[in-house]
Every structure is written in C-alpha cells, then in structure tokens.
Amino acid sequence: LDLLAQARTNPWFDQISKLPELQYSLSQIQLGSTPFYFESISSAGTYNKKASTIPLTADEENVTRLDSLNRISLPKKVAFLEFTPFVGTRETLYDKGVDEETLPIRTIFLAGSDISTKIYRVFNVESSFLGMDIKGLRHVVTPLVRYLFNHEPTIPSSDLRQIDAIDALGRSNTIFLELSNKLQTKRNGVSVDLVDARISTPYIVKPKSGDKLGSNFSDILFECTLLPYSWL
C-alpha cells in the first residue's frame, strides 16, 4: 500500500501533481486449489497536469481517477520454459471527461502470455564485507518475452483529459523483451536478493497512430535495485 503526494514547485517544468495518490498492489495469489492465479493493482488519486510556458499562463488538466488492473493467469512448465498465459481487464472511472461531462466506467480487455526461463550458477562465497552478511552467492539470469494485446477501450482517449499513459491507452499489440540479472544470498536460511538489474524494451506491432510508421521498438529501460541489508 503506497501513498504519494507530489506537487510542482517550479512552474517552468512540466509536472503531474498527485494530491495525493493511493495505490494498492496485490501480488499473485492462488485461487483456492485451482491452477489459476490472481493479481491486481489499483490506484485512486487527484491529478493536476501543468505544462511549462513563458509567460506562466499554461492550460491545466485536472481530474480525479480510480483505476484498477486485474489479471488471472495459468502458469505452466513446458520443458525448460515457464509459459504463463493470462487474461484481464482494466477498469477506470473519471470524475469528468474532456468536455466536463460525466463518463461511465472505461473498460479495456487485455490478454497475452509470458515465456521465460532461469539460468543460474552458485558461487561458494562467504563474506561479512561492510556487514552485508553474505553466505553464498547465486547469479540468476532470467530472459523474458511477454506478448500483450489491449482491446479497444469502451471510451476513446480523445474523450479523456490526458494526464499520463493510462489515459492514452488504446488498442495495441506489444511484445516486451526483458533480461534480468540477480545476485542472491541466504540470510537466516532464507534466500534474498542483493542486486536485481533489469533491461527491457517494448516492440510495438504495427501501431495505428503515432509519428512512426509500422512496427517499431520503443525506449530502452534500465532498472537496478540494491538491497545490501535487510533494513535498507
């Protein structure tokens, strides 16, 4: 559960103010004794988008939004590959549209699948360097390919105030490529991550709109999480 308050202080920068935003994330849980798993991410907030202009008379976009992404998956093992098909919906409720009108709940159906595998090697290393309490190291490499299809939303983006990527969602076919590198150790008999470094990029299949024509790669994202101690 996360609560975030974010306000713009310098009017010459583009900024989305969140006053505030509350987000709840539910990790994968098994549905009873079935082979299906459920996960959910929901957020609610009041958002204010201001553009940078000189003089400082830019138009502002204000909206209160409730968004919920829910997914059901069916993990399977196929030889050395983890194959996980999934289906889900995204429900978004706005207090007003672009013309100040009241809108029904916006719904987007989505489906896709993940294919991944794990390659690892164990190193017999024990160290108390900087007090990190390392008892063995395991290097885990995880390549992942995800296909995601978003159906046409019940409310087009043109009817919405454009705050962030959620409001711009439309019909799409996307292939996500990701490579994860982890360094793990054991503390009190439990495996923990010391380093989690990821590189990923989406490949957009024949987008309907945008500056580029045809299928194309989008931005390359690097993420690195360091957890040297249990408290940090």
Side-chain angles (χ1 to χ4, degrees), residues 5 8 20 25 37 60 69 74 81 84 100 130 147 155-156 158 166 172-173 181 194 196 219 224 226 228:
R8 185 173 77 163
S25 301
Y37 287 78
E60 299 181 11
L69 174 62
L74 179 62
L81 298 174
T84 308
E100 303 289 335
L130 296 178
Y147 170 72
I155 298 175
S158 57
I166 293 177
S172 64
N173 286 279
N181 277 273
L194 292 176
D196 184 2
D219 298 335
C224 186
L226 304 177

PDB file of all heavy atoms in Angstrom, residues 5 8 20 25 37 60 69 74 81 84 100 130 147 155-156 158 166 172-173 181 194 196 219 224 226 228:
ATOM      1  N   ALA A   5       2.254  11.908  -2.302  1.00  0.00           N
ATOM      2  CA  ALA A   5       1.869  13.303  -2.540  1.00  0.00           C
ATOM      3  C   ALA A   5       2.992  13.956  -3.318  1.00  0.00           C
ATOM      4  O   ALA A   5       4.154  13.900  -2.918  1.00  0.00           O
ATOM      5  CB  ALA A   5       1.630  14.027  -1.221  1.00  0.00           C
ATOM      6  N   ARG A   8       4.150  20.286  -7.905  1.00  0.00           N
ATOM      7  CA  ARG A   8       5.139  21.037  -8.681  1.00  0.00           C
ATOM      8  C   ARG A   8       5.568  22.279  -7.908  1.00  0.00           C
ATOM      9  O   ARG A   8       4.744  22.996  -7.348  1.00  0.00           O
ATOM     10  CB  ARG A   8       4.557  21.442 -10.038  1.00  0.00           C
ATOM     11  CG  ARG A   8       5.590  22.117 -10.931  1.00  0.00           C
ATOM     12  CD  ARG A   8       5.071  22.364 -12.319  1.00  0.00           C
ATOM     13  NE  ARG A   8       4.168  23.509 -12.371  1.00  0.00           N
ATOM     14  CZ  ARG A   8       3.835  24.127 -13.509  1.00  0.00           C
ATOM     15  NH1 ARG A   8       4.305  23.684 -14.656  1.00  0.00           N
ATOM     16  NH2 ARG A   8       3.018  25.150 -13.486  1.00  0.00           N
ATOM     17  N   PRO A  20      -3.620  13.547  -3.175  1.00  0.00           N
ATOM     18  CA  PRO A  20      -2.488  12.615  -3.313  1.00  0.00           C
ATOM     19  C   PRO A  20      -2.899  11.466  -4.235  1.00  0.00           C
ATOM     20  O   PRO A  20      -3.967  11.493  -4.855  1.00  0.00           O
ATOM     21  CB  PRO A  20      -2.309  12.125  -1.890  1.00  0.00           C
ATOM     22  CG  PRO A  20      -3.731  12.039  -1.383  1.00  0.00           C
ATOM     23  CD  PRO A  20      -4.501  13.158  -2.068  1.00  0.00           C
ATOM     24  N   SER A  25      -1.260  -2.778  -4.265  1.00  0.00           N
ATOM     25  CA  SER A  25      -0.779  -3.846  -5.149  1.00  0.00           C
ATOM     26  C   SER A  25      -0.972  -5.192  -4.461  1.00  0.00           C
ATOM     27  O   SER A  25      -0.487  -5.397  -3.346  1.00  0.00           O
ATOM     28  CB  SER A  25       0.698  -3.641  -5.485  1.00  0.00           C
ATOM     29  OG  SER A  25       0.908  -2.403  -6.119  1.00  0.00           O
ATOM     30  N   TYR A  37      -4.069 -18.161 -10.959  1.00  0.00           N
ATOM     31  CA  TYR A  37      -3.540 -17.156 -10.039  1.00  0.00           C
ATOM     32  C   TYR A  37      -4.137 -15.796 -10.374  1.00  0.00           C
ATOM     33  O   TYR A  37      -4.415 -15.496 -11.546  1.00  0.00           O
ATOM     34  CB  TYR A  37      -2.015 -17.092 -10.124  1.00  0.00           C
ATOM     35  CG  TYR A  37      -1.329 -18.266  -9.482  1.00  0.00           C
ATOM     36  CD1 TYR A  37      -1.261 -19.499 -10.137  1.00  0.00           C
ATOM     37  CD2 TYR A  37      -0.745 -18.160  -8.223  1.00  0.00           C
ATOM     38  CE1 TYR A  37      -0.632 -20.587  -9.551  1.00  0.00           C
ATOM     39  CE2 TYR A  37      -0.114 -19.237  -7.627  1.00  0.00           C
ATOM     40  CZ  TYR A  37      -0.063 -20.448  -8.293  1.00  0.00           C
ATOM     41  OH  TYR A  37       0.560 -21.530  -7.708  1.00  0.00           O
ATOM     42  N   GLU A  60      -4.301  23.972 -17.701  1.00  0.00           N
ATOM     43  CA  GLU A  60      -4.107  22.893 -16.755  1.00  0.00           C
ATOM     44  C   GLU A  60      -5.158  21.819 -16.989  1.00  0.00           C
ATOM     45  O   GLU A  60      -6.279  22.107 -17.391  1.00  0.00           O
ATOM     46  CB  GLU A  60      -4.198  23.406 -15.314  1.00  0.00           C
ATOM     47  CG  GLU A  60      -3.151  24.436 -14.960  1.00  0.00           C
ATOM     48  CD  GLU A  60      -3.268  24.890 -13.517  1.00  0.00           C
ATOM     49  OE1 GLU A  60      -4.021  24.246 -12.759  1.00  0.00           O
ATOM     50  OE2 GLU A  60      -2.616  25.873 -13.152  1.00  0.00           O
ATOM     51  N   LEU A  69      -6.392  -2.568 -12.365  1.00  0.00           N
ATOM     52  CA  LEU A  69      -5.931  -3.562 -13.328  1.00  0.00           C
ATOM     53  C   LEU A  69      -5.942  -4.923 -12.656  1.00  0.00           C
ATOM     54  O   LEU A  69      -5.264  -5.133 -11.646  1.00  0.00           O
ATOM     55  CB  LEU A  69      -4.522  -3.213 -13.814  1.00  0.00           C
ATOM     56  CG  LEU A  69      -3.831  -4.226 -14.727  1.00  0.00           C
ATOM     57  CD1 LEU A  69      -4.602  -4.412 -16.023  1.00  0.00           C
ATOM     58  CD2 LEU A  69      -2.397  -3.788 -15.015  1.00  0.00           C
ATOM     59  N   LEU A  74      -2.406 -18.553 -15.758  1.00  0.00           N
ATOM     60  CA  LEU A  74      -2.324 -20.005 -15.631  1.00  0.00           C
ATOM     61  C   LEU A  74      -0.894 -20.441 -15.924  1.00  0.00           C
ATOM     62  O   LEU A  74      -0.558 -20.777 -17.056  1.00  0.00           O
ATOM     63  CB  LEU A  74      -3.307 -20.682 -16.594  1.00  0.00           C
ATOM     64  CG  LEU A  74      -3.332 -22.214 -16.589  1.00  0.00           C
ATOM     65  CD1 LEU A  74      -3.749 -22.742 -15.221  1.00  0.00           C
ATOM     66  CD2 LEU A  74      -4.287 -22.732 -17.673  1.00  0.00           C
ATOM     67  N   LEU A  81      10.963 -24.126 -20.129  1.00  0.00           N
ATOM     68  CA  LEU A  81      10.353 -22.801 -20.212  1.00  0.00           C
ATOM     69  C   LEU A  81       9.171 -22.677 -19.273  1.00  0.00           C
ATOM     70  O   LEU A  81       8.414 -23.627 -19.074  1.00  0.00           O
ATOM     71  CB  LEU A  81       9.899 -22.508 -21.646  1.00  0.00           C
ATOM     72  CG  LEU A  81      10.968 -22.461 -22.734  1.00  0.00           C
ATOM     73  CD1 LEU A  81      10.328 -22.309 -24.097  1.00  0.00           C
ATOM     74  CD2 LEU A  81      11.949 -21.315 -22.476  1.00  0.00           C
ATOM     75  N   THR A  84       3.149 -18.709 -19.286  1.00  0.00           N
ATOM     76  CA  THR A  84       2.075 -18.180 -18.444  1.00  0.00           C
ATOM     77  C   THR A  84       1.099 -17.351 -19.278  1.00  0.00           C
ATOM     78  O   THR A  84       1.289 -16.133 -19.457  1.00  0.00           O
ATOM     79  CB  THR A  84       2.642 -17.309 -17.301  1.00  0.00           C
ATOM     80  OG1 THR A  84       3.650 -18.030 -16.605  1.00  0.00           O
ATOM     81  CG2 THR A  84       1.546 -16.907 -16.332  1.00  0.00           C
ATOM     82  N   GLU A 100     -16.038  18.176 -19.665  1.00  0.00           N
ATOM     83  CA  GLU A 100     -16.661  18.305 -18.344  1.00  0.00           C
ATOM     84  C   GLU A 100     -17.870  17.386 -18.142  1.00  0.00           C
ATOM     85  O   GLU A 100     -18.576  17.486 -17.147  1.00  0.00           O
ATOM     86  CB  GLU A 100     -17.091  19.762 -18.061  1.00  0.00           C
ATOM     87  CG  GLU A 100     -15.977  20.779 -18.137  1.00  0.00           C
ATOM     88  CD  GLU A 100     -15.002  20.650 -16.982  1.00  0.00           C
ATOM     89  OE1 GLU A 100     -15.403  20.145 -15.925  1.00  0.00           O
ATOM     90  OE2 GLU A 100     -13.837  21.064 -17.144  1.00  0.00           O
ATOM     91  N   LEU A 130      31.607  -5.010   4.800  1.00  0.00           N
ATOM     92  CA  LEU A 130      30.690  -3.901   5.089  1.00  0.00           C
ATOM     93  C   LEU A 130      29.451  -4.368   5.838  1.00  0.00           C
ATOM     94  O   LEU A 130      28.385  -3.744   5.774  1.00  0.00           O
ATOM     95  CB  LEU A 130      30.277  -3.181   3.797  1.00  0.00           C
ATOM     96  CG  LEU A 130      31.400  -2.477   3.024  1.00  0.00           C
ATOM     97  CD1 LEU A 130      30.862  -1.845   1.755  1.00  0.00           C
ATOM     98  CD2 LEU A 130      32.092  -1.433   3.894  1.00  0.00           C
ATOM     99  N   TYR A 147       3.939 -11.109 -24.528  1.00  0.00           N
ATOM    100  CA  TYR A 147       3.039 -10.555 -25.553  1.00  0.00           C
ATOM    101  C   TYR A 147       1.795 -10.016 -24.866  1.00  0.00           C
ATOM    102  O   TYR A 147       1.194 -10.693 -24.011  1.00  0.00           O
ATOM    103  CB  TYR A 147       2.637 -11.627 -26.572  1.00  0.00           C
ATOM    104  CG  TYR A 147       1.518 -11.152 -27.484  1.00  0.00           C
ATOM    105  CD1 TYR A 147       1.759 -10.200 -28.468  1.00  0.00           C
ATOM    106  CD2 TYR A 147       0.222 -11.638 -27.332  1.00  0.00           C
ATOM    107  CE1 TYR A 147       0.737  -9.746 -29.283  1.00  0.00           C
ATOM    108  CE2 TYR A 147      -0.807 -11.195 -28.140  1.00  0.00           C
ATOM    109  CZ  TYR A 147      -0.543 -10.246 -29.117  1.00  0.00           C
ATOM    110  OH  TYR A 147      -1.567  -9.798 -29.912  1.00  0.00           O
ATOM    111  N   ILE A 155     -14.189   3.725 -23.963  1.00  0.00           N
ATOM    112  CA  ILE A 155     -14.176   5.179 -24.105  1.00  0.00           C
ATOM    113  C   ILE A 155     -12.861   5.568 -24.772  1.00  0.00           C
ATOM    114  O   ILE A 155     -11.790   5.248 -24.255  1.00  0.00           O
ATOM    115  CB  ILE A 155     -14.307   5.888 -22.749  1.00  0.00           C
ATOM    116  CG1 ILE A 155     -15.635   5.530 -22.086  1.00  0.00           C
ATOM    117  CG2 ILE A 155     -14.193   7.406 -22.910  1.00  0.00           C
ATOM    118  CD1 ILE A 155     -15.799   6.096 -20.685  1.00  0.00           C
ATOM    119  N   PRO A 156     -12.884   6.235 -25.934  1.00  0.00           N
ATOM    120  CA  PRO A 156     -11.630   6.575 -26.623  1.00  0.00           C
ATOM    121  C   PRO A 156     -10.831   7.622 -25.853  1.00  0.00           C
ATOM    122  O   PRO A 156     -11.379   8.407 -25.074  1.00  0.00           O
ATOM    123  CB  PRO A 156     -12.115   7.122 -27.973  1.00  0.00           C
ATOM    124  CG  PRO A 156     -13.512   7.587 -27.724  1.00  0.00           C
ATOM    125  CD  PRO A 156     -14.078   6.664 -26.683  1.00  0.00           C
ATOM    126  N   SER A 158      -9.596  10.277 -26.895  1.00  0.00           N
ATOM    127  CA  SER A 158      -9.961  11.643 -27.275  1.00  0.00           C
ATOM    128  C   SER A 158     -11.038  12.238 -26.376  1.00  0.00           C
ATOM    129  O   SER A 158     -11.219  13.457 -26.345  1.00  0.00           O
ATOM    130  CB  SER A 158     -10.430  11.671 -28.732  1.00  0.00           C
ATOM    131  OG  SER A 158     -11.525  10.784 -28.922  1.00  0.00           O
ATOM    132  N   ILE A 166      -1.937   5.989 -18.706  1.00  0.00           N
ATOM    133  CA  ILE A 166      -3.207   5.282 -18.522  1.00  0.00           C
ATOM    134  C   ILE A 166      -4.293   5.876 -19.407  1.00  0.00           C
ATOM    135  O   ILE A 166      -5.071   5.166 -20.044  1.00  0.00           O
ATOM    136  CB  ILE A 166      -3.629   5.307 -17.038  1.00  0.00           C
ATOM    137  CG1 ILE A 166      -2.658   4.484 -16.194  1.00  0.00           C
ATOM    138  CG2 ILE A 166      -5.059   4.794 -16.858  1.00  0.00           C
ATOM    139  CD1 ILE A 166      -2.949   4.521 -14.713  1.00  0.00           C
ATOM    140  N   SER A 172      -3.827  -2.120 -28.939  1.00  0.00           N
ATOM    141  CA  SER A 172      -2.402  -2.279 -29.218  1.00  0.00           C
ATOM    142  C   SER A 172      -1.986  -3.733 -29.153  1.00  0.00           C
ATOM    143  O   SER A 172      -2.617  -4.553 -28.480  1.00  0.00           O
ATOM    144  CB  SER A 172      -1.566  -1.461 -28.216  1.00  0.00           C
ATOM    145  OG  SER A 172      -1.744  -1.955 -26.902  1.00  0.00           O
ATOM    146  N   ASN A 173      -0.925  -4.032 -29.883  1.00  0.00           N
ATOM    147  CA  ASN A 173      -0.228  -5.313 -29.807  1.00  0.00           C
ATOM    148  C   ASN A 173       1.226  -5.012 -29.489  1.00  0.00           C
ATOM    149  O   ASN A 173       1.895  -4.307 -30.250  1.00  0.00           O
ATOM    150  CB  ASN A 173      -0.313  -6.068 -31.138  1.00  0.00           C
ATOM    151  CG  ASN A 173      -1.687  -6.651 -31.380  1.00  0.00           C
ATOM    152  OD1 ASN A 173      -2.015  -7.701 -30.865  1.00  0.00           O
ATOM    153  ND2 ASN A 173      -2.496  -5.943 -32.175  1.00  0.00           N
ATOM    154  N   ASN A 181      19.076  -9.784 -14.290  1.00  0.00           N
ATOM    155  CA  ASN A 181      20.252 -10.359 -13.632  1.00  0.00           C
ATOM    156  C   ASN A 181      20.107 -10.149 -12.132  1.00  0.00           C
ATOM    157  O   ASN A 181      19.971  -9.001 -11.680  1.00  0.00           O
ATOM    158  CB  ASN A 181      21.536  -9.686 -14.112  1.00  0.00           C
ATOM    159  CG  ASN A 181      22.042 -10.265 -15.416  1.00  0.00           C
ATOM    160  OD1 ASN A 181      22.775 -11.240 -15.417  1.00  0.00           O
ATOM    161  ND2 ASN A 181      21.628  -9.649 -16.521  1.00  0.00           N
ATOM    162  N   LEU A 194      20.282  -9.471  -3.415  1.00  0.00           N
ATOM    163  CA  LEU A 194      21.216  -8.380  -3.140  1.00  0.00           C
ATOM    164  C   LEU A 194      21.154  -7.334  -4.249  1.00  0.00           C
ATOM    165  O   LEU A 194      21.146  -6.129  -4.004  1.00  0.00           O
ATOM    166  CB  LEU A 194      22.643  -8.906  -3.025  1.00  0.00           C
ATOM    167  CG  LEU A 194      22.981  -9.787  -1.825  1.00  0.00           C
ATOM    168  CD1 LEU A 194      24.421 -10.280  -1.946  1.00  0.00           C
ATOM    169  CD2 LEU A 194      22.792  -9.022  -0.535  1.00  0.00           C
ATOM    170  N   ASP A 196      19.260  -6.619  -8.201  1.00  0.00           N
ATOM    171  CA  ASP A 196      18.321  -7.005  -9.261  1.00  0.00           C
ATOM    172  C   ASP A 196      18.434  -5.949 -10.360  1.00  0.00           C
ATOM    173  O   ASP A 196      17.952  -4.831 -10.219  1.00  0.00           O
ATOM    174  CB  ASP A 196      16.888  -7.065  -8.724  1.00  0.00           C
ATOM    175  CG  ASP A 196      15.894  -7.550  -9.778  1.00  0.00           C
ATOM    176  OD1 ASP A 196      16.334  -7.871 -10.904  1.00  0.00           O
ATOM    177  OD2 ASP A 196      14.683  -7.598  -9.490  1.00  0.00           O
ATOM    178  N   ASP A 219      11.386   2.901 -26.167  1.00  0.00           N
ATOM    179  CA  ASP A 219      12.519   3.231 -25.306  1.00  0.00           C
ATOM    180  C   ASP A 219      13.124   1.979 -24.672  1.00  0.00           C
ATOM    181  O   ASP A 219      12.449   0.979 -24.465  1.00  0.00           O
ATOM    182  CB  ASP A 219      12.085   4.177 -24.191  1.00  0.00           C
ATOM    183  CG  ASP A 219      11.572   5.504 -24.736  1.00  0.00           C
ATOM    184  OD1 ASP A 219      11.980   5.853 -25.857  1.00  0.00           O
ATOM    185  OD2 ASP A 219      10.768   6.151 -24.051  1.00  0.00           O
ATOM    186  N   CYS A 224      17.736  -0.868 -11.694  1.00  0.00           N
ATOM    187  CA  CYS A 224      18.641  -1.588 -10.796  1.00  0.00           C
ATOM    188  C   CYS A 224      18.197  -1.366  -9.359  1.00  0.00           C
ATOM    189  O   CYS A 224      18.080  -0.217  -8.917  1.00  0.00           O
ATOM    190  CB  CYS A 224      20.075  -1.127 -10.992  1.00  0.00           C
ATOM    191  SG  CYS A 224      21.266  -2.108 -10.031  1.00  0.00           S
ATOM    192  N   LEU A 226      19.119  -2.284  -5.396  1.00  0.00           N
ATOM    193  CA  LEU A 226      20.156  -2.769  -4.492  1.00  0.00           C
ATOM    194  C   LEU A 226      19.560  -2.946  -3.102  1.00  0.00           C
ATOM    195  O   LEU A 226      18.937  -2.028  -2.574  1.00  0.00           O
ATOM    196  CB  LEU A 226      21.323  -1.774  -4.426  1.00  0.00           C
ATOM    197  CG  LEU A 226      21.986  -1.408  -5.757  1.00  0.00           C
ATOM    198  CD1 LEU A 226      23.068  -0.359  -5.536  1.00  0.00           C
ATOM    199  CD2 LEU A 226      22.574  -2.634  -6.432  1.00  0.00           C
ATOM    200  N   PRO A 228      21.392  -4.228   0.018  1.00  0.00           N
ATOM    201  CA  PRO A 228      22.568  -4.771   0.690  1.00  0.00           C
ATOM    202  C   PRO A 228      22.293  -5.273   2.103  1.00  0.00           C
ATOM    203  O   PRO A 228      22.983  -6.161   2.580  1.00  0.00           O
ATOM    204  CB  PRO A 228      23.542  -3.576   0.705  1.00  0.00           C
ATOM    205  CG  PRO A 228      22.650  -2.373   0.643  1.00  0.00           C
ATOM    206  CD  PRO A 228      21.480  -2.778  -0.197  1.00  0.00           C
TER     207      PRO A 228
END
